[in-house]
Amino acid sequence: EIMLAFLNLAGPVFIVFYLLWFAGVIYFGNVTFKLALKRGGLLIPKTADDFPFMTVYEKAFLVGGKRRLFEVLLAQLIQDEYVKLDNNVLQVNDKKDPQEINDQSLSMVFDSIKDRIKSGQTDPNQLIFSVIKDTGFITLSQRLLETIEKKGYSINKEEKVKLTLIKVLANIVAILP
């Protein structure tokens, strides 16, 4: 009884103490849950660096889907100077030979955007929406998804719901007296 006397609080002190206790339990529950998932290999990654042994394209696709994949491929084409970007306007660099592109994914995207850029679709944001609907790009995305799943990194929606439910239940159990 004497050891628990400090829990006999009244008024605002009672509310403040138990709100702080509740926040602390939630915080430590989250930390413990994330550590348990990380050790079990189930942590849902949030950044591309959370994925070892994956290509840049696989990481981009897993983190941001088709849009991020296209952005990474376009950035590589710009870096390699096959495409120029000036004031948010894309231009094909005619001085570079597209036959020199060694990467099949880059080559496919370059072929897909080349004609669009020459026909006047030079805004990168508009280009994204048209290219990601191409059958070639969809095939590339499917191939990357299969590779990612073979490496064991893809978590489907059902597993995400289960993990979220476990997390919520763990927090509820932690705050029960």
Side-chain angles (χ1 to χ4, degrees), residues 126-143:
Q126 291 175 351
L127 205 55
I128 287 173
F129 294 111
S130 63
V131 171
I132 63 174
K133 294 176 185 173
D134 280 352
T135 55
F137 197 81
I138 292 170
T139 303
L140 170 66
S141 300
Q142 290 297 329
R143 196 171 60 237

Side-chain angles (χ1 to χ4, degrees), residues 8-10 14 24 31 36 45 57 63 76 80 110 119 122 162 164 169 177:
N8 191 13
L9 305 172
F14 168 83
V31 169
Y57 305 141
V63 171
Q76 186 64 47
D80 293 344
F110 180 76
S119 68
T122 58
K162 286 179 187 176
T164 304
L169 290 175

Side-chain angles (χ1 to χ4, degrees), residues 17 27 37 39 58 73 83-84 93 98 136 145-146 156:
F17 175 78
Y27 173 77
L37 285 181
R39 288 188 182 143
E58 292 168 347
L73 289 163
V83 177
K84 296 177 187 176
N93 186 356
L145 182 60
E146 289 169 7
N156 64 31

Side-chain angles (χ1 to χ4, degrees), residues 73-171:
L73 289 163
L74 181 61
Q76 186 64 47
L77 289 170
I78 292 169
Q79 183 178 354
D80 293 344
E81 299 178 355
Y82 290 100
V83 177
K84 296 177 187 176
L85 178 65
D86 285 326
N87 296 325
N88 208 30
V89 174
L90 292 170
Q91 298 172 343
V92 175
N93 186 356
D94 294 324
K95 296 176 184 175
K96 293 280 282 193
D97 182 14
Q99 300 299 324
E100 294 176 5
I101 300 176
N102 296 328
D103 189 316
Q104 183 182 6
S105 302
L106 275 177
S107 179
M108 187 277 305
V109 169
F110 180 76
D111 291 340
S112 180
I113 67 172
K114 175 179 58 177
D115 295 329
R116 287 182 168 92
I117 291 173
K118 289 185 178 182
S119 68
Q121 191 177 5
T122 58
D123 182 19
N125 293 320
Q126 291 175 351
L127 205 55
I128 287 173
F129 294 111
S130 63
V131 171
I132 63 174
K133 294 176 185 173
D134 280 352
T135 55
F137 197 81
I138 292 170
T139 303
L140 170 66
S141 300
Q142 290 297 329
R143 196 171 60 237
L144 284 174
L145 182 60
E146 289 169 7
T147 305
I148 290 166
E149 287 175 344
K150 285 179 185 174
K151 292 180 179 182
Y153 286 108
S154 182
I155 297 178
N156 64 31
K157 289 182 181 180
E158 290 175 9
E159 289 173 337
K160 286 181 181 179
V161 169
K162 286 179 187 176
L163 291 174
T164 304
L165 184 61
I166 290 169
K167 183 177 181 180
V168 169
L169 290 175
N171 282 328

